[in-house]
Amino acid sequence: QVQLQASGGGSVQAGDSLRLSCERSGGGPHNYGMGWFRQAPGKEREFVAAMGWSGGSSHYANYARGRFAISSDNAKNTCYLQMNSLEPEDTAVYYCAAALPFKIRAGIPINEDEYTYWGQGTQVTVSS
């Protein structure tokens, strides 16, 4: 059984940076598509960024492109989300998720239903 442990959230000022981590345990030596989603208070969960199971390609939500970067360290079974130039609108609970290759429809999993495993979420609060 795959388990995902997200960490790295916190309270920062606008313009600051944070790096979120998502450590995967279990599931064997398989590759997974990895993604980050977020949910702000009173809003639905939304896509942030994702990378394909081979690790070579990525996709970002418009608001994240140019500010956020997703990466992975396969040796550590860990996926990262580097977030720069944070804004108060980025305040949310951030979730990491893992997608099995056969469930990915178009190379990079950007839809929630492509993901099988979810982490518990880590809170990011950005104050102005």
Side-chain angles (χ1 to χ4, degrees), residues 34-37 46-51 58-61 63-64 68-70 79-81 95 97 108-110 115:
M34 297 298 298
W36 290 91
F37 292 76
E46 63 179 357
F47 170 78
V48 179
M51 59 194 311
S58 57
H59 184 77
Y60 298 89
Y63 63 80
F68 296 1
I70 187 171
C79 177
Y80 304 98
L81 183 68
Y95 298 90
I108 302 173
I110 63 172
Y115 290 88

Side-chain angles (χ1 to χ4, degrees), residues 41-84:
K43 295 186 177 181
E44 294 187 352
R45 189 159 59 186
E46 63 179 357
F47 170 78
V48 179
M51 59 194 311
W53 66 270
S54 65
S57 55
S58 57
H59 184 77
Y60 298 89
N62 287 339
Y63 63 80
R65 192 170 294 116
R67 297 190 300 131
F68 296 1
I70 187 171
S71 62
S72 66
D73 184 336
N74 291 335
K76 297 181 179 180
N77 290 332
T78 301
C79 177
Y80 304 98
L81 183 68
Q82 177 67 43
M83 303 187 295
N84 301 323

